[in-house]
Amino acid sequence: MKKFASACMLLLLVAFNVHSADEALEEYAYYGFEPEIVTNYIANRKKLGFVRISVELMVKNPDDLMSVERHDPLLRAAIVEILGNQTEDKVKSLSGREEIRRECYEVVNRLLENETGKPLVVNLLFTKYLYD
């Protein structure tokens, strides 16, 4: 009985280590849009409102960076369009910023899937987010 319990424990440990090793082998890479994205949004006042962001795209496979770079203008235009359609209240609130980030992520992934046949982006990050 003791041998059976030991064998089961050993089997569980090996299975856990194999799963952990698979996770450790994942190599993520990041693509940053250069230069930063600067555009206006719908302001509640007479003066135009501007937002300036730095965007990083996280891809699961470093080989996918070439595809992302090739479609940079398409992705940048989509992000600018999304930002330009936002209200001042949404741009300036934390929950609104997260909604904008999520919308950008979904649109970018959909565009890349249309162009490459698969969604390449694991996450979209705003590393700088300034507004006026």
Side-chain angles (χ1 to χ4, degrees):
M1 183 67 162
K2 236 181 187 182
K3 287 184 182 182
F4 179 71
S6 296
C8 287
M9 287 296 286
L10 183 61
L11 185 60
L12 285 173
L13 277 173
V14 168
F16 179 73
N17 284 337
V18 168
H19 181 66
S20 296
D22 288 344
E23 288 178 0
L25 292 177
E26 291 180 6
E27 291 184 37
Y28 293 102
Y30 293 87
Y31 177 79
F33 288 93
E34 290 294 331
E36 297 173 334
I37 296 173
V38 180
T39 188
N40 60 321
Y41 58 85
I42 302 169
N44 296 337
R45 51 204 159 123
K46 292 184 181 192
K47 184 181 167 188
L48 279 177
F50 288 92
V51 64
R52 178 180 183 173
I53 63 171
S54 292
V55 178
E56 300 282 332
L57 301 178
M58 181 179 171
V59 295
K60 194 169 190 173
N61 186 350
D63 298 334
D64 293 335
L65 286 176
M66 294 295 286
S67 294
V68 173
E69 184 177 9
R70 185 177 314 118
H71 299 293
D72 178 301
L74 175 68
L75 304 177
R76 176 183 289 274
I79 293 171
V80 168
E81 185 177 343
I82 290 168
L83 289 167
N85 291 326
Q86 304 304 317
T87 63
E88 182 174 6
D89 296 334
K90 195 168 183 181
V91 168
K92 292 185 175 183
S93 74
L94 287 176
S95 61
R97 181 169 76 180
E98 176 58 22
E99 288 177 31
I100 294 168
R101 187 200 66 81
R102 196 173 307 118
E103 183 179 353
C104 289
Y105 166 74
E106 291 169 359
V107 168
V108 162
N109 241 357
R110 189 173 343 110
L111 288 171
L112 284 171
E113 187 172 8
N114 290 343
E115 295 298 321
T116 65
K118 61 181 179 177
L120 302 177
V121 178
V122 175
N123 201 356
L124 182 142
L125 307 165
F126 290 156
T127 54
K128 182 189 287 186
Y129 190 90
L130 303 170
Y131 55 83
D132 176 35

